[in-house]
Amino acid sequence: MPQDGNSWAVVSNLTDTAAKAADISAGLAARWTPYGAPAVEADNAVSPFISGFELQAHILSGNVSAALDLLTTEWGFMLDDPRMTNSTFIEGYQADGVLVSLALSSLRTWAFIWLLSSCVVLLSQGYATSDLLPSRCDQRNHCSSFS
């Protein structure tokens, strides 16, 4: 199942039923490796940029748990692997975790930031306390934006 086209179909609301969006979400999640979501259209490379669209597709289809699983798997690998820069700036890597290119791009972190900004709830004035509430990351409650 191609990652980019299917993810974009959900993100851009090309699916005409919730069932189709849910089927796409399930199909996308079924192909994950321990390192993230491979893009079969890119020789099974993992692309954080395209995976950002997949994160959105899972959320918009109502499969918030899949979005959070992908986030912790793929972005967790990027942040925790000793070969990385403790960042999510890597352009991509192979589906088995092998690094091919260490090209960096600050644009690749937008999906991570978008998801977190959707889930963070301020609990007190002055940003003194906050909480991460994944259940708020659904289509009905999403209200984050970029400017």
Side-chain angles (χ1 to χ4, degrees):
M1 168 173 271
Q3 182 185 31
D4 57 359
N6 284 289
S7 297
W8 189 249
V10 175
V11 171
S12 61
N13 201 26
L14 295 176
T15 52
D16 56 356
T17 66
K20 287 181 183 177
D23 287 346
I24 288 173
S25 176
L28 289 169
R31 67 193 211 311
W32 294 347
T33 74
Y35 304 97
V40 296
E41 64 277 19
D43 198 27
N44 282 320
V46 174
S47 165
F49 177 71
I50 300 301
S51 293
F53 291 108
E54 183 171 339
L55 283 173
Q56 292 179 64
H58 292 303
I59 291 168
L60 293 170
S61 71
N63 194 355
V64 175
S65 62
L68 293 172
D69 288 346
L70 178 57
L71 179 70
T72 56
T73 300
E74 188 168 324
W75 276 262
F77 169 69
M78 289 184 279
L79 290 169
D80 291 339
D81 190 273
R83 298 168 297 164
M84 304 291 190
T85 60
N86 291 329
S87 73
T88 60
F89 288 157
I90 189 163
E91 191 78 22
Y93 51 90
Q94 290 179 346
D96 59 2
V98 172
L99 303 182
V100 179
S101 169
L102 291 178
L104 303 178
S105 171
S106 61
L107 295 176
R108 303 313 185 219
T109 60
W110 71 269
F112 182 75
I113 294 167
W114 176 83
L115 184 65
L116 286 181
S117 68
S118 301
C119 303
V120 173
V121 177
L122 300 176
L123 300 175
S124 65
Q125 291 182 338
Y127 308 103
T129 57
S130 62
D131 199 1
L132 184 64
L133 300 176
S135 62
R136 290 182 51 92
C137 297
D138 63 22
Q139 187 176 2
R140 295 177 302 275
N141 295 318
H142 176 71
C143 60
S144 66
S145 64
F146 287 101
S147 59

PDB file of all heavy atoms in Angstrom, residues 70-94:
ATOM      1  N   LEU A  70       2.809   5.146  15.750  1.00  0.00           N
ATOM      2  CA  LEU A  70       3.768   5.531  14.721  1.00  0.00           C
ATOM      3  C   LEU A  70       4.720   6.609  15.242  1.00  0.00           C
ATOM      4  O   LEU A  70       5.926   6.559  15.009  1.00  0.00           O
ATOM      5  CB  LEU A  70       3.050   6.027  13.464  1.00  0.00           C
ATOM      6  CG  LEU A  70       3.953   6.497  12.315  1.00  0.00           C
ATOM      7  CD1 LEU A  70       4.925   5.405  11.874  1.00  0.00           C
ATOM      8  CD2 LEU A  70       3.103   6.973  11.150  1.00  0.00           C
ATOM      9  N   LEU A  71       4.174   7.558  15.958  1.00  0.00           N
ATOM     10  CA  LEU A  71       4.991   8.630  16.515  1.00  0.00           C
ATOM     11  C   LEU A  71       6.058   8.069  17.450  1.00  0.00           C
ATOM     12  O   LEU A  71       7.235   8.410  17.334  1.00  0.00           O
ATOM     13  CB  LEU A  71       4.109   9.632  17.255  1.00  0.00           C
ATOM     14  CG  LEU A  71       4.820  10.806  17.908  1.00  0.00           C
ATOM     15  CD1 LEU A  71       5.356  11.754  16.856  1.00  0.00           C
ATOM     16  CD2 LEU A  71       3.872  11.536  18.848  1.00  0.00           C
ATOM     17  N   THR A  72       5.662   7.193  18.353  1.00  0.00           N
ATOM     18  CA  THR A  72       6.644   6.660  19.302  1.00  0.00           C
ATOM     19  C   THR A  72       7.620   5.699  18.634  1.00  0.00           C
ATOM     20  O   THR A  72       8.780   5.633  19.024  1.00  0.00           O
ATOM     21  CB  THR A  72       5.950   5.960  20.491  1.00  0.00           C
ATOM     22  OG1 THR A  72       5.089   4.941  20.006  1.00  0.00           O
ATOM     23  CG2 THR A  72       5.160   6.954  21.310  1.00  0.00           C
ATOM     24  N   THR A  73       7.174   4.991  17.609  1.00  0.00           N
ATOM     25  CA  THR A  73       8.071   4.063  16.911  1.00  0.00           C
ATOM     26  C   THR A  73       9.062   4.809  16.028  1.00  0.00           C
ATOM     27  O   THR A  73      10.278   4.688  16.200  1.00  0.00           O
ATOM     28  CB  THR A  73       7.263   3.074  16.046  1.00  0.00           C
ATOM     29  OG1 THR A  73       6.396   2.331  16.903  1.00  0.00           O
ATOM     30  CG2 THR A  73       8.174   2.127  15.288  1.00  0.00           C
ATOM     31  N   GLU A  74       8.566   5.577  15.077  1.00  0.00           N
ATOM     32  CA  GLU A  74       9.445   6.220  14.094  1.00  0.00           C
ATOM     33  C   GLU A  74      10.226   7.386  14.684  1.00  0.00           C
ATOM     34  O   GLU A  74      11.450   7.448  14.557  1.00  0.00           O
ATOM     35  CB  GLU A  74       8.619   6.684  12.894  1.00  0.00           C
ATOM     36  CG  GLU A  74       9.471   7.193  11.755  1.00  0.00           C
ATOM     37  CD  GLU A  74       8.665   7.383  10.478  1.00  0.00           C
ATOM     38  OE1 GLU A  74       7.739   6.571  10.207  1.00  0.00           O
ATOM     39  OE2 GLU A  74       8.965   8.340   9.750  1.00  0.00           O
ATOM     40  N   TRP A  75       9.533   8.293  15.332  1.00  0.00           N
ATOM     41  CA  TRP A  75      10.232   9.449  15.900  1.00  0.00           C
ATOM     42  C   TRP A  75      11.053   9.023  17.116  1.00  0.00           C
ATOM     43  O   TRP A  75      12.102   9.576  17.387  1.00  0.00           O
ATOM     44  CB  TRP A  75       9.253  10.573  16.193  1.00  0.00           C
ATOM     45  CG  TRP A  75       8.978  11.400  14.987  1.00  0.00           C
ATOM     46  CD1 TRP A  75       9.571  12.599  14.678  1.00  0.00           C
ATOM     47  CD2 TRP A  75       8.091  11.112  13.906  1.00  0.00           C
ATOM     48  NE1 TRP A  75       9.097  13.058  13.472  1.00  0.00           N
ATOM     49  CE2 TRP A  75       8.182  12.165  12.973  1.00  0.00           C
ATOM     50  CE3 TRP A  75       7.227  10.061  13.622  1.00  0.00           C
ATOM     51  CZ2 TRP A  75       7.445  12.206  11.797  1.00  0.00           C
ATOM     52  CZ3 TRP A  75       6.492  10.098  12.453  1.00  0.00           C
ATOM     53  CH2 TRP A  75       6.604  11.152  11.556  1.00  0.00           C
ATOM     54  N   GLY A  76      10.580   8.001  17.836  1.00  0.00           N
ATOM     55  CA  GLY A  76      11.363   7.455  18.945  1.00  0.00           C
ATOM     56  C   GLY A  76      12.672   6.877  18.459  1.00  0.00           C
ATOM     57  O   GLY A  76      13.729   7.075  19.075  1.00  0.00           O
ATOM     58  N   PHE A  77      12.640   6.147  17.334  1.00  0.00           N
ATOM     59  CA  PHE A  77      13.870   5.613  16.748  1.00  0.00           C
ATOM     60  C   PHE A  77      14.820   6.747  16.380  1.00  0.00           C
ATOM     61  O   PHE A  77      16.010   6.704  16.687  1.00  0.00           O
ATOM     62  CB  PHE A  77      13.554   4.765  15.511  1.00  0.00           C
ATOM     63  CG  PHE A  77      14.768   4.398  14.703  1.00  0.00           C
ATOM     64  CD1 PHE A  77      15.711   3.520  15.199  1.00  0.00           C
ATOM     65  CD2 PHE A  77      14.963   4.943  13.446  1.00  0.00           C
ATOM     66  CE1 PHE A  77      16.840   3.181  14.455  1.00  0.00           C
ATOM     67  CE2 PHE A  77      16.079   4.620  12.693  1.00  0.00           C
ATOM     68  CZ  PHE A  77      17.024   3.732  13.198  1.00  0.00           C
ATOM     69  N   MET A  78      14.296   7.780  15.751  1.00  0.00           N
ATOM     70  CA  MET A  78      15.156   8.900  15.343  1.00  0.00           C
ATOM     71  C   MET A  78      15.781   9.590  16.559  1.00  0.00           C
ATOM     72  O   MET A  78      16.934  10.008  16.513  1.00  0.00           O
ATOM     73  CB  MET A  78      14.375   9.908  14.504  1.00  0.00           C
ATOM     74  CG  MET A  78      14.027   9.403  13.121  1.00  0.00           C
ATOM     75  SD  MET A  78      13.207  10.652  12.117  1.00  0.00           S
ATOM     76  CE  MET A  78      11.524  10.535  12.702  1.00  0.00           C
ATOM     77  N   LEU A  79      15.037   9.715  17.624  1.00  0.00           N
ATOM     78  CA  LEU A  79      15.551  10.416  18.808  1.00  0.00           C
ATOM     79  C   LEU A  79      16.471   9.549  19.657  1.00  0.00           C
ATOM     80  O   LEU A  79      17.382  10.070  20.304  1.00  0.00           O
ATOM     81  CB  LEU A  79      14.383  10.919  19.658  1.00  0.00           C
ATOM     82  CG  LEU A  79      13.584  12.062  19.049  1.00  0.00           C
ATOM     83  CD1 LEU A  79      12.303  12.286  19.843  1.00  0.00           C
ATOM     84  CD2 LEU A  79      14.411  13.339  18.976  1.00  0.00           C
ATOM     85  N   ASP A  80      16.252   8.244  19.660  1.00  0.00           N
ATOM     86  CA  ASP A  80      17.002   7.364  20.565  1.00  0.00           C
ATOM     87  C   ASP A  80      18.200   6.658  19.943  1.00  0.00           C
ATOM     88  O   ASP A  80      19.103   6.249  20.660  1.00  0.00           O
ATOM     89  CB  ASP A  80      16.072   6.290  21.152  1.00  0.00           C
ATOM     90  CG  ASP A  80      15.053   6.862  22.107  1.00  0.00           C
ATOM     91  OD1 ASP A  80      15.286   7.968  22.635  1.00  0.00           O
ATOM     92  OD2 ASP A  80      14.022   6.199  22.324  1.00  0.00           O
ATOM     93  N   ASP A  81      18.212   6.473  18.633  1.00  0.00           N
ATOM     94  CA  ASP A  81      19.302   5.721  18.010  1.00  0.00           C
ATOM     95  C   ASP A  81      20.624   6.486  18.140  1.00  0.00           C
ATOM     96  O   ASP A  81      20.681   7.671  17.819  1.00  0.00           O
ATOM     97  CB  ASP A  81      18.986   5.463  16.529  1.00  0.00           C
ATOM     98  CG  ASP A  81      19.967   4.484  15.918  1.00  0.00           C
ATOM     99  OD1 ASP A  81      21.035   4.946  15.450  1.00  0.00           O
ATOM    100  OD2 ASP A  81      19.685   3.282  15.905  1.00  0.00           O
ATOM    101  N   PRO A  82      21.689   5.835  18.600  1.00  0.00           N
ATOM    102  CA  PRO A  82      22.959   6.537  18.791  1.00  0.00           C
ATOM    103  C   PRO A  82      23.588   7.059  17.494  1.00  0.00           C
ATOM    104  O   PRO A  82      24.455   7.939  17.548  1.00  0.00           O
ATOM    105  CB  PRO A  82      23.860   5.496  19.460  1.00  0.00           C
ATOM    106  CG  PRO A  82      23.229   4.183  19.161  1.00  0.00           C
ATOM    107  CD  PRO A  82      21.759   4.430  18.993  1.00  0.00           C
ATOM    108  N   ARG A  83      23.152   6.568  16.356  1.00  0.00           N
ATOM    109  CA  ARG A  83      23.702   7.067  15.086  1.00  0.00           C
ATOM    110  C   ARG A  83      23.065   8.375  14.651  1.00  0.00           C
ATOM    111  O   ARG A  83      23.526   9.028  13.731  1.00  0.00           O
ATOM    112  CB  ARG A  83      23.503   6.024  13.980  1.00  0.00           C
ATOM    113  CG  ARG A  83      24.223   4.715  14.247  1.00  0.00           C
ATOM    114  CD  ARG A  83      23.771   3.645  13.291  1.00  0.00           C
ATOM    115  NE  ARG A  83      22.347   3.380  13.511  1.00  0.00           N
ATOM    116  CZ  ARG A  83      21.577   2.732  12.658  1.00  0.00           C
ATOM    117  NH1 ARG A  83      22.059   2.313  11.514  1.00  0.00           N
ATOM    118  NH2 ARG A  83      20.312   2.514  12.929  1.00  0.00           N
ATOM    119  N   MET A  84      21.996   8.755  15.305  1.00  0.00           N
ATOM    120  CA  MET A  84      21.295   9.990  14.954  1.00  0.00           C
ATOM    121  C   MET A  84      21.892  11.164  15.730  1.00  0.00           C
ATOM    122  O   MET A  84      22.816  11.002  16.499  1.00  0.00           O
ATOM    123  CB  MET A  84      19.808   9.855  15.295  1.00  0.00           C
ATOM    124  CG  MET A  84      19.121   8.686  14.650  1.00  0.00           C
ATOM    125  SD  MET A  84      18.982   8.899  12.867  1.00  0.00           S
ATOM    126  CE  MET A  84      17.892   7.555  12.476  1.00  0.00           C
ATOM    127  N   THR A  85      21.331  12.310  15.538  1.00  0.00           N
ATOM    128  CA  THR A  85      21.824  13.523  16.197  1.00  0.00           C
ATOM    129  C   THR A  85      20.928  13.925  17.366  1.00  0.00           C
ATOM    130  O   THR A  85      20.882  15.084  17.734  1.00  0.00           O
ATOM    131  CB  THR A  85      21.881  14.686  15.184  1.00  0.00           C
ATOM    132  OG1 THR A  85      20.554  14.911  14.689  1.00  0.00           O
ATOM    133  CG2 THR A  85      22.821  14.382  14.038  1.00  0.00           C
ATOM    134  N   ASN A  86      20.209  12.952  17.932  1.00  0.00           N
ATOM    135  CA  ASN A  86      19.218  13.230  18.979  1.00  0.00           C
ATOM    136  C   ASN A  86      18.201  14.252  18.494  1.00  0.00           C
ATOM    137  O   ASN A  86      17.771  15.136  19.222  1.00  0.00           O
ATOM    138  CB  ASN A  86      19.878  13.682  20.275  1.00  0.00           C
ATOM    139  CG  ASN A  86      20.635  12.563  20.933  1.00  0.00           C
ATOM    140  OD1 ASN A  86      20.256  11.403  20.800  1.00  0.00           O
ATOM    141  ND2 ASN A  86      21.705  12.888  21.626  1.00  0.00           N
ATOM    142  N   SER A  87      17.851  14.124  17.233  1.00  0.00           N
ATOM    143  CA  SER A  87      16.875  15.027  16.621  1.00  0.00           C
ATOM    144  C   SER A  87      16.052  14.238  15.617  1.00  0.00           C
ATOM    145  O   SER A  87      16.295  13.065  15.372  1.00  0.00           O
ATOM    146  CB  SER A  87      17.588  16.185  15.913  1.00  0.00           C
ATOM    147  OG  SER A  87      18.197  15.719  14.723  1.00  0.00           O
ATOM    148  N   THR A  88      15.094  14.906  15.031  1.00  0.00           N
ATOM    149  CA  THR A  88      14.279  14.283  13.984  1.00  0.00           C
ATOM    150  C   THR A  88      14.581  14.927  12.634  1.00  0.00           C
ATOM    151  O   THR A  88      13.736  14.941  11.755  1.00  0.00           O
ATOM    152  CB  THR A  88      12.778  14.422  14.306  1.00  0.00           C
ATOM    153  OG1 THR A  88      12.445  15.806  14.390  1.00  0.00           O
ATOM    154  CG2 THR A  88      12.428  13.742  15.608  1.00  0.00           C
ATOM    155  N   PHE A  89      15.787  15.440  12.481  1.00  0.00           N
ATOM    156  CA  PHE A  89      16.146  16.157  11.257  1.00  0.00           C
ATOM    157  C   PHE A  89      16.548  15.259  10.096  1.00  0.00           C
ATOM    158  O   PHE A  89      16.756  15.742   9.000  1.00  0.00           O
ATOM    159  CB  PHE A  89      17.302  17.124  11.520  1.00  0.00           C
ATOM    160  CG  PHE A  89      16.908  18.327  12.336  1.00  0.00           C
ATOM    161  CD1 PHE A  89      17.868  19.023  13.036  1.00  0.00           C
ATOM    162  CD2 PHE A  89      15.609  18.768  12.400  1.00  0.00           C
ATOM    163  CE1 PHE A  89      17.523  20.128  13.781  1.00  0.00           C
ATOM    164  CE2 PHE A  89      15.247  19.869  13.142  1.00  0.00           C
ATOM    165  CZ  PHE A  89      16.220  20.549  13.839  1.00  0.00           C
ATOM    166  N   ILE A  90      16.688  13.961  10.319  1.00  0.00           N
ATOM    167  CA  ILE A  90      17.149  13.086   9.241  1.00  0.00           C
ATOM    168  C   ILE A  90      16.127  13.065   8.102  1.00  0.00           C
ATOM    169  O   ILE A  90      14.920  13.080   8.321  1.00  0.00           O
ATOM    170  CB  ILE A  90      17.445  11.676   9.758  1.00  0.00           C
ATOM    171  CG1 ILE A  90      18.137  10.852   8.681  1.00  0.00           C
ATOM    172  CG2 ILE A  90      16.187  11.000  10.258  1.00  0.00           C
ATOM    173  CD1 ILE A  90      18.819   9.627   9.192  1.00  0.00           C
ATOM    174  N   GLU A  91      16.625  13.038   6.910  1.00  0.00           N
ATOM    175  CA  GLU A  91      15.777  13.031   5.714  1.00  0.00           C
ATOM    176  C   GLU A  91      15.073  11.692   5.526  1.00  0.00           C
ATOM    177  O   GLU A  91      13.939  11.644   5.074  1.00  0.00           O
ATOM    178  CB  GLU A  91      16.652  13.342   4.493  1.00  0.00           C
ATOM    179  CG  GLU A  91      15.897  13.621   3.243  1.00  0.00           C
ATOM    180  CD  GLU A  91      15.304  15.018   3.212  1.00  0.00           C
ATOM    181  OE1 GLU A  91      15.787  15.906   3.919  1.00  0.00           O
ATOM    182  OE2 GLU A  91      14.341  15.200   2.464  1.00  0.00           O
ATOM    183  N   GLY A  92      15.751  10.609   5.861  1.00  0.00           N
ATOM    184  CA  GLY A  92      15.170   9.290   5.707  1.00  0.00           C
ATOM    185  C   GLY A  92      16.190   8.210   5.977  1.00  0.00           C
ATOM    186  O   GLY A  92      17.378   8.494   6.159  1.00  0.00           O
ATOM    187  N   TYR A  93      15.719   6.969   5.999  1.00  0.00           N
ATOM    188  CA  TYR A  93      16.573   5.814   6.229  1.00  0.00           C
ATOM    189  C   TYR A  93      15.835   4.593   5.711  1.00  0.00           C
ATOM    190  O   TYR A  93      14.658   4.677   5.347  1.00  0.00           O
ATOM    191  CB  TYR A  93      16.940   5.674   7.715  1.00  0.00           C
ATOM    192  CG  TYR A  93      15.748   5.726   8.648  1.00  0.00           C
ATOM    193  CD1 TYR A  93      15.073   4.573   9.015  1.00  0.00           C
ATOM    194  CD2 TYR A  93      15.285   6.939   9.148  1.00  0.00           C
ATOM    195  CE1 TYR A  93      13.973   4.622   9.863  1.00  0.00           C
ATOM    196  CE2 TYR A  93      14.188   7.003   9.989  1.00  0.00           C
ATOM    197  CZ  TYR A  93      13.538   5.840  10.340  1.00  0.00           C
ATOM    198  OH  TYR A  93      12.447   5.904  11.166  1.00  0.00           O
ATOM    199  N   GLN A  94      16.521   3.455   5.650  1.00  0.00           N
ATOM    200  CA  GLN A  94      15.891   2.254   5.124  1.00  0.00           C
ATOM    201  C   GLN A  94      14.922   1.665   6.142  1.00  0.00           C
ATOM    202  O   GLN A  94      15.031   1.895   7.346  1.00  0.00           O
ATOM    203  CB  GLN A  94      16.956   1.218   4.764  1.00  0.00           C
ATOM    204  CG  GLN A  94      17.783   1.612   3.567  1.00  0.00           C
ATOM    205  CD  GLN A  94      18.839   0.570   3.243  1.00  0.00           C
ATOM    206  OE1 GLN A  94      19.136  -0.314   4.032  1.00  0.00           O
ATOM    207  NE2 GLN A  94      19.409   0.687   2.058  1.00  0.00           N
TER     208      GLN A  94
END
